[in-house]
Amino acid sequence: CQIRGQNLSRSVFHGADWSSGLFVDLVDSLYRPAVYTLNHRGVMNGVSETRFDPEGTLTRAMAVTILWRLAGSPAVQSSCPFTDVPDGAYYREAVIWGSQAGIVQGTAETQFSPDGLLTRQQLAVLLYRYTQYRGLDTTASRSLLSCQDYGSVASWASRSVRWACALDLLSGPVLGPEDPISRGETAMMLCRWLEVFA
């Protein structure tokens, strides 16, 4: 699977100082412009002050926090419906917001599984729902028949994956819909989303 972003227009990177050495594990990385753009916007942080961990996998807590920040970190008032989202967790407000907005769901009635890993098709679903939440156009769609593993796309994710492929958020002869998505790949998808919708 390819995560588009190598040929993004310069406009999406405007204002981001991605030439600096903030994250030592992004030297010569193709993810570097996307990561620094999102870091500059306050959307994605490193796993430490000097490391981004671009090949590290994305957790459910990370994903909803990223989208919450992309939405401007809206304040929430209600309590959290999930018992495994503790008070003081960096992702607590994001989980409450995402649940109320219909962007994320629990893995059970009272469980969110914040450390669970996110797959490519699951991130496509979250981005699709987030785009709907923003009131933006989600009518784009592309056939998946040219992808060798189109049969591996879950029925509940099919609409979102076809939308993501139509926008070049995902592409390539092999989608890998059930494969965990990395933090670097996530940054590329989000920058492509910003280019389309910002």
Side-chain angles (χ1 to χ4, degrees):
C1 173
Q2 293 178 337
I3 308 295
R4 297 300 295 271
Q6 296 94 322
N7 299 316
L8 291 176
S9 68
R10 294 297 301 177
S11 62
V12 78
F13 301 134
H14 178 69
D17 181 18
W18 55 270
S19 61
S20 68
L22 178 61
F23 298 121
V24 297
D25 54 357
L26 288 178
V27 176
D28 298 325
S29 171
L30 63 88
Y31 301 130
R32 188 170 182 167
V35 168
Y36 278 52
T37 296
L38 295 172
N39 183 258
H40 174 78
R41 291 171 180 250
V43 174
M44 286 190 81
N45 297 330
V47 297
S48 73
E49 290 187 2
T50 59
R51 291 184 62 253
F52 182 77
D53 192 20
E55 301 302 332
T57 47
L58 189 76
T59 66
R60 288 167 52 82
M62 289 176 188
V64 69
T65 301
I66 288 167
L67 295 179
W68 176 66
R69 291 173 180 159
L70 192 62
S73 303
V76 296
Q77 303 297 330
S78 65
S79 59
C80 184
F82 306 114
T83 59
D84 59 350
V85 176
D87 290 338
Y90 77 87
Y91 50 83
R92 184 177 174 86
E93 282 190 278
V95 170
I96 297 171
W97 165 80
S99 177
Q100 290 178 338
I103 295 171
V104 295
Q105 300 171 347
T107 55
E109 185 175 350
T110 60
Q111 298 292 303
F112 183 73
S113 302
D115 295 327
L117 300 185
L118 213 70
T119 65
R120 290 190 172 100
Q121 65 183 357
Q122 286 172 336
L123 183 58
V125 170
L126 295 189
L127 277 174
Y128 180 83
R129 291 174 182 164
Y130 175 75
T131 305
Q132 289 182 317
Y133 163 82
R134 292 284 302 272
L136 301 170
D137 184 14
T138 55
T139 59
S141 183
R142 197 189 82 188
S143 172
L144 302 180
L145 293 179
S146 62
C147 302
Q148 297 174 15
D149 56 351
Y150 72 91
S152 298
V153 177
S155 58
W156 49 264
S158 178
R159 177 70 189 91
S160 299
V161 171
R162 286 185 283 115
W163 167 81
C165 286
L167 298 184
D168 279 343
L169 303 181
L170 293 171
S171 65
V174 178
L175 290 173
E178 298 176 321
D179 294 340
I181 190 165
S182 74
R183 288 168 48 82
E185 290 172 331
T186 299
M188 297 281 261
M189 282 186 71
L190 286 170
C191 270
R192 173 59 183 160
W193 186 94
L194 283 171
E195 185 181 50
V196 173
F197 291 108

